[in-house]
Amino acid sequence: MYTIDNKEYPCCTSVTMKFIGGKWKAVILFHLTDGAKRYNELRKLIPTITERTLSLQLKQLEEDHIINRKVYTEKPPLMVEYTLTDFGKTLQPVIEAITNWGMAAPDLSVKKIIRN
């Protein structure tokens, strides 16, 4: 049994899914693995995500110390940049494995997945 923020998780897999579960967190992390991104860059890289969902997911990832949010205020316009924390970087092998499976899946499936 594991406890995070006074909530119990029954196994180590549920702990991992607490941090990267859902439709968009792994996608966001995938795009941050190759370096810092601004909010609008992420919006362009993930066109099917809504602005509200992206904002909420980024906030959750920041609260979980998976990503850093840095605000640049030296000169207008205000710029916000997101990067992986050291803790977030430990998820890179997991994200890479998910990515590799997704790339191979169309060749492995029974015509269920079509690569466009």
Side-chain angles (χ1 to χ4, degrees):
M1 190 69 78
Y2 299 84
T3 304
I4 303 170
D5 298 328
N6 296 320
K7 185 174 179 186
E8 291 188 351
Y9 294 83
C11 69
C12 55
T13 302
S14 62
V15 170
T16 304
M17 296 311 293
K18 181 258 188 266
F19 291 103
I20 66 165
K23 186 174 179 180
W24 297 111
K25 285 183 182 177
V27 177
I28 293 166
L29 294 175
F30 166 76
H31 288 295
L32 292 176
T33 56
D34 62 348
K37 299 282 185 297
R38 295 190 326 263
Y39 178 87
N40 282 331
E41 286 180 279
L42 290 168
R43 278 285 288 133
K44 288 176 186 171
L45 290 167
I46 315 168
T48 54
I49 194 172
T50 66
E51 287 190 35
R52 183 183 190 304
T53 300
L54 178 58
S55 293
L56 290 171
Q57 297 293 281
L58 288 169
K59 187 174 186 173
Q60 287 177 356
L61 288 165
E62 184 183 6
E63 288 171 359
D64 288 336
H65 305 285
I66 303 294
I67 64 171
N68 280 321
R69 179 180 185 265
K70 185 171 182 181
V71 180
Y72 294 91
T73 58
E74 293 88 41
K75 58 181 182 174
L78 179 76
M79 187 174 89
V80 178
E81 194 173 73
Y82 297 93
T83 55
L84 292 174
T85 63
D86 288 340
F87 180 53
K89 288 176 184 175
T90 65
L91 287 166
Q92 284 182 294
V94 176
I95 300 302
E96 186 176 315
I98 291 169
T99 302
N100 290 339
W101 187 91
M103 289 189 311
D107 300 328
L108 304 172
S109 72
V110 187
K111 298 181 184 177
K112 184 165 180 80
I113 304 169
I114 300 168
R115 183 179 290 128
N116 296 330

